[in-house]
Amino acid sequence: MDANSCLDVISFAEAYGMSELLDDANDFVLRNFWEVSNTAKFLDLPAEKLVDFLKCDGLCAPSELAVFRAVISWIETSPEERLSQASLLMSGVRFPLMTFREFREVRAINLRMESFENKEDELYVSALQEFSFGMQDVQAKCRVRRPKDAIVLVGGDRLNPDEGGRILSREVWFANSFRCGTGLVKAIEWRKLGEIPDQPKFRHGVAAMGGRLYAVGGCYFYTKNDIMKSAYSYDPEQNSWKKLADMNEFRSNFSLVANDGRLFAIGGDKEINTNVDTVEVYDPETDSWSFARPLEQALSGQASTVSNGSIFISGGYNYRYECLVSLFLYHPSGGTTYLSDMSHDRAQHSMETLRGSLYVAGGVCNWRTFYTDQFVCEVYCPRTDSWSVFENLPVPHVGAPSAVLEDKLYMLGGYCQEDYSESGLVHRFDPSLNRWENMGRLPGAVTDMRACVMRLKTHKPHSHIFFQKS
């Protein structure tokens, strides 16, 4: 499905009563409204269908001015017939989200319509009325986007500002909605999903597989004896946690990925400053862990992701705790295939698969005998086995989880290596714009938490039904 075909898919799904396909197609239009509005098929939409899209909280666009421009394009296709529906269409544009400067452009755009018997006044008056009345309506001052999938955060730790110590977390949060308000201020509304039944944990592993959330290993305090090997799964349909078989080894600061119906726990620290080369595989059918082929060297703080059924591993600390530039494919039975090195060394970073490429961001790098923040971001193209840089991070994100949702990369919290300060900020990268944007703050722990993206069955998109902990 793409911007040119999605409206045809909607017509097909409506004609044949395919409700699930219809939901997916409508959701695609809402997520990609600006791209869809620039297609020829958009101009043929019935007014009632267009208004349905405009009034939906889930509609995404670069700005509300862009939404207005889409409406104008639709009207100008047949102004003699469509100007009479201006009031109906203007009621779907959220003019209070515009700045006064943007609203002046509304008037300028309408001046193009002067040749149609002063009906531009009707259009402008309708817009002005919505702009003025809406300024008093707090609920109208933001658009709310509720994706079908949700970013889920598990555990982590943060500084206690009152006592100077650290607070460990058992909390599980999810991104309930994304808000765009006046002046294009964006923010995520977080809701608490519950708590893991295990001890508080950080530097653990989290993955989604088969509709379940898995939380494995990690640390529950800061000494060498506080590393864990426990594993739990969460079923969102039943709102219940299940204790699983323990890993064979204690493991923290490792990577956990799901591939081919199994979980892979890769490398990590078995105690403070002692990393390992072992890899364990969890089989949910037998509730058991077994060792797979080890890595070629001990690693911790590396990043791993799965692309096209293959496990990629980048950077991390070697046994001397030096940051690496390596990227390789890990084969559970066949060993290691090394690929082109990154341009910059890093550990405690993130790597995600996005649009068929591997995006690497955040972490620390070597600096003399110390570490410093790594701001440089890189993207790997598997087709050419080559790296290129993309826009630097605006702030450090060390020990930060990452996630990909709706073709955008999220960096969530972390800390600054230079002064160990914690921002708790969320930044989102849009490859289409090559730009990071601030998405607000995290709700709880801000560093060494873990994240994944999964479908929460009780999290309904475009509705006001939310998961509630029983």
Side-chain angles (χ1 to χ4, degrees), residues 94-145:
R94 301 186 182 181
F95 290 99
L97 296 184
M98 294 184 185
T99 64
F100 282 97
R101 178 178 297 176
E102 288 175 325
F103 192 76
R104 283 200 297 269
E105 187 174 335
V106 171
R107 176 56 174 166
I109 290 175
N110 286 325
L111 291 177
R112 300 203 307 257
M113 317 287 283
E114 284 184 348
S115 59
F116 300 103
E117 300 178 358
N118 292 323
K119 286 190 177 181
E120 83 285 350
D121 288 337
E122 178 183 341
L123 191 63
Y124 182 69
V125 169
S126 299
L128 181 62
Q129 184 177 36
E130 293 291 332
F131 182 76
S132 301
F133 287 170
M135 293 300 289
Q136 309 301 320
D137 183 1
V138 175
Q139 296 298 321
K141 292 187 179 180
C142 67
R143 278 201 182 274
V144 180
R145 170 69 184 155

Side-chain angles (χ1 to χ4, degrees), residues 235-470:
D235 183 347
E237 285 191 335
Q238 302 299 322
N239 183 26
S240 62
W241 289 88
K242 179 182 178 181
K243 177 73 169 68
L244 307 176
D246 288 348
M247 289 186 291
N248 294 293
E249 286 194 316
F250 295 95
R251 206 178 292 268
S252 75
N253 205 19
F254 65 108
S255 49
L256 184 74
V257 296
N259 190 34
D260 194 25
R262 298 177 295 169
L263 297 178
F264 292 79
I266 303 169
D269 296 316
K270 67 177 181 181
E271 58 184 60
I272 302 300
N273 296 328
T274 305
N275 53 19
V276 297
D277 62 359
T278 59
V279 178
E280 295 188 52
V281 182
Y282 177 75
D283 185 344
E285 295 295 324
T286 60
D287 185 30
S288 62
W289 294 87
S290 59
F291 285 106
R293 189 183 185 101
L295 303 172
E296 292 193 353
Q297 64 173 319
L299 282 180
S300 62
Q302 76 279 4
S304 303
T305 189
V306 173
S307 179
N308 293 324
S310 298
I311 300 174
F312 291 81
I313 300 173
S314 67
Y317 300 115
N318 63 13
Y319 74 98
R320 292 193 297 267
Y321 282 82
E322 300 165 328
C323 301
L324 303 175
V325 295
S326 58
L327 173 73
F328 61 90
L329 275 170
Y330 169 75
H331 307 277
S333 57
T336 297
T337 301
Y338 280 93
L339 305 169
S340 293
D341 287 343
M342 295 181 289
S343 302
H344 299 79
D345 55 280
R346 64 183 76 230
Q348 302 294 112
H349 61 293
S350 296
M351 178 169 64
E352 296 287 349
T353 301
L354 175 59
R355 297 184 179 181
S357 297
L358 308 183
Y359 283 73
V360 173
V364 297
C365 55
N366 301 311
W367 183 68
R368 298 177 184 174
T369 58
F370 306 100
Y371 304 122
T372 190
D373 297 302
Q374 179 60 273
F375 290 92
V376 178
C377 301
E378 303 182 62
V379 57
Y380 174 78
C381 176
R383 181 176 56 83
T384 60
D385 187 30
S386 62
W387 291 89
S388 58
V389 298
F390 60 98
E391 186 182 37
N392 285 5
L393 282 168
V395 301
H397 283 280
V398 181
S402 60
V404 169
L405 182 65
E406 297 182 340
D407 283 343
K408 295 180 177 63
L409 170 66
Y410 290 80
M411 296 292 292
L412 303 128
Y415 66 93
C416 170
Q417 180 67 29
E418 293 298 300
D419 59 10
Y420 294 98
S421 60
E422 300 171 332
S423 69
L425 293 175
V426 177
H427 284 95
R428 181 174 73 179
F429 180 76
D430 186 340
S432 301
L433 303 175
N434 189 32
R435 183 178 68 199
W436 290 98
E437 55 185 346
N438 189 334
M439 297 296 295
R441 301 186 66 84
L442 291 169
V446 296
T447 186
D448 282 322
M449 69 190 79
R450 294 296 182 259
C452 68
V453 172
M454 65 181 298
R455 183 73 50 86
L456 297 177
K457 303 297 185 182
T458 48
H459 175 227
K460 305 296 185 183
H462 321 312
S463 73
H464 297 278
I465 302 173
F466 307 120
F467 178 90
Q468 294 294 333
K469 180 71 175 177
S470 60

